[in-house]
Amino acid sequence: GRASPPLAALSQVLRLERSRRTGIVFPLQKLERCLAPGTDTAQFRLFQPGLAALQRAEALFRSDRGHPIDYVSSAVRMDHAPPPALPEVCFIGRSNVGKSSLIRALFSLAPEVEVRVSKTPGHTKKMNFFKVGKYFTLVDMPGYGYRAPQDFVEMVEAYLQERRNLKRTFLLVDGVVGLQKTDNIAVEMLEEFGIPYVMVLTKIDRASRGVLLKNVLEIQEFVKENTQGCFPQLFLVSSVEFSGVHLLRCFVAHATGNLPTIQAS
Ligand code: GDP
């Protein structure tokens, strides 16, 4: 298989000097240092795992003979979805938001996993199911566009409403352009069905610090004022630099009940 890219594993990140390490593992905390003193940053640290939890999560995302990580199947309809046997998370977002890149980054320690992209316009978009050993499943949902096609809305709506084992939805938002009108399609669906979700800001390596801060603060305000089901802490990621990827693996492990509450190590 392919070699893992640099910084895909925590062991590589731990060799960096302290400030770069914080930037990779806790990108939001790195950003926090640029805020005016007195700004309320309580939501920046709600989920702040220690090294033991990060390592435990990484082990889940690292495949081996006794712990296979596989693409399972694709479905366009709920009756084609695999049985809801394991806790599940799903990833949703606009086309081009960086969803496939992020899922590839999450699974970079299981290089045999193929994250398929079906971008051909007019081609039916599918839900792709991945199985992580006997621990959880991860679903790559079709991306939505400026005009969300009806079949997309129907497919995603049915999934969100019916999937009993769905533990958390990860809503991806472009870190460069921030929350867009089309993202409201997803927000409204999640809010209407009362589905717990988290917002993930992608491509943070491409945003200047100022733009990133503006987008983070705007989205936090939006979440506070307009949502019930959204976790107040944003997750920032770069699939190129691996920032936030280790923390996101840890949150997925937590959300699927695979992170025993670990006390300070
Ligand atoms: P999807 O349509 O949501 O699956 O988006 P892709 O993962 O295919 O990404 C869309 C484009 O954004 C591609 O050109 C990627 O190379 C680029 N991209 C995705 N993630 C990142 C990132 O973290 N950093 C940078 N710089 N580019 C990214």
Side-chain angles (χ1 to χ4, degrees):
R2 303 174 260 135
S4 302
L7 303 186
L10 275 170
S11 57
Q12 295 161 308
V13 179
L14 294 177
R15 281 186 219 121
L16 302 172
E17 51 90 16
R18 193 192 171 97
S19 148
R20 255 205 92 203
R21 201 167 64 206
T22 308
I24 300 284
V25 182
F26 298 110
L28 194 58
Q29 280 176 38
K30 186 77 183 279
L31 200 62
E32 184 180 347
R33 294 177 194 163
C34 315
L35 287 172
T39 311
D40 181 13
T41 55
Q43 307 99 310
F44 280 41
R45 294 161 179 270
L46 294 174
F47 182 72
Q48 194 184 15
L51 187 57
L54 289 162
Q55 281 168 334
R56 160 80 185 143
E58 179 165 302
L60 287 174
F61 280 89
R62 189 186 290 282
S63 61
D64 62 40
R65 216 176 304 148
H67 177 56
I69 303 179
D70 291 316
Y71 160 79
V72 182
S73 63
S74 298
V76 287
R77 294 191 350 227
M78 279 313 286
D79 50 347
H80 295 164
L86 297 172
E88 189 160 280
V89 290
C90 78
F91 284 67
I92 183 173
R94 275 191 308 129
S95 311
N96 240 28
V97 73
K99 188 159 52 64
S100 345
S101 304
L102 178 59
I103 295 176
R104 226 175 281 127
L106 289 169
F107 285 142
S108 55
L109 302 173
E112 68 281 11
V113 175
E114 261 192 63
V115 180
R116 296 153 183 230
V117 274
S118 65
K119 287 205 166 153
T120 337
H123 199 266
T124 314
K125 293 174 175 172
K126 296 176 174 165
M127 310 180 261
N128 299 311
F129 292 81
F130 299 89
K131 190 170 173 210
V132 177
K134 52 184 185 345
Y135 298 98
F136 63 92
T137 43
L138 185 154
V139 192
D140 178 9
M141 298 297 277
Y144 48 89
Y146 171 60
R147 286 175 294 173
Q150 199 51 33
D151 54 351
F152 161 85
V153 174
E154 275 164 20
M155 192 193 314
V156 175
E157 226 168 39
Y159 171 85
L160 293 175
Q161 264 183 315
E162 292 172 30
R163 198 66 171 165
R164 277 176 292 121
N165 55 332
L166 177 61
K167 299 298 178 197
R168 201 75 62 123
T169 296
F170 292 77
L171 172 56
L172 274 49
V173 175
D174 193 311
V176 181
V177 298
L179 207 55
Q180 303 285 294
K181 274 206 181 107
T182 38
D183 293 317
N184 281 326
I185 301 170
V187 170
E188 280 166 17
M189 255 192 233
L190 294 161
E191 288 291 325
E192 186 188 337
F193 303 149
I195 309 264
Y197 63 105
V198 191
M199 283 204 213
V200 179
L201 228 56
T202 61
K203 308 183 192 177
I204 62 165
D205 61 285
R206 280 186 48 202
S208 70
R209 207 153 62 184
V211 165
L212 198 56
L213 262 178
K214 171 179 161 290
N215 288 337
V216 165
L217 294 175
E218 269 179 18
I219 294 174
Q220 276 190 343
E221 186 64 17
F222 174 87
V223 168
K224 194 171 149 205
E225 297 301 325
N226 303 288
T227 71
Q228 309 287 330
C230 187
F231 189 62
Q233 179 177 331
L234 290 180
F235 286 79
L236 273 49
V237 295
S238 162
S239 306
V240 173
E241 295 180 345
F242 275 84
S243 344
V245 169
H246 315 82
L247 186 63
L248 198 64
R249 284 182 187 137
C250 200
F251 196 74
V252 168
H254 163 73
T256 54
N258 286 300
L259 206 61
T261 24
I262 303 176
Q263 343 41 83
S265 42

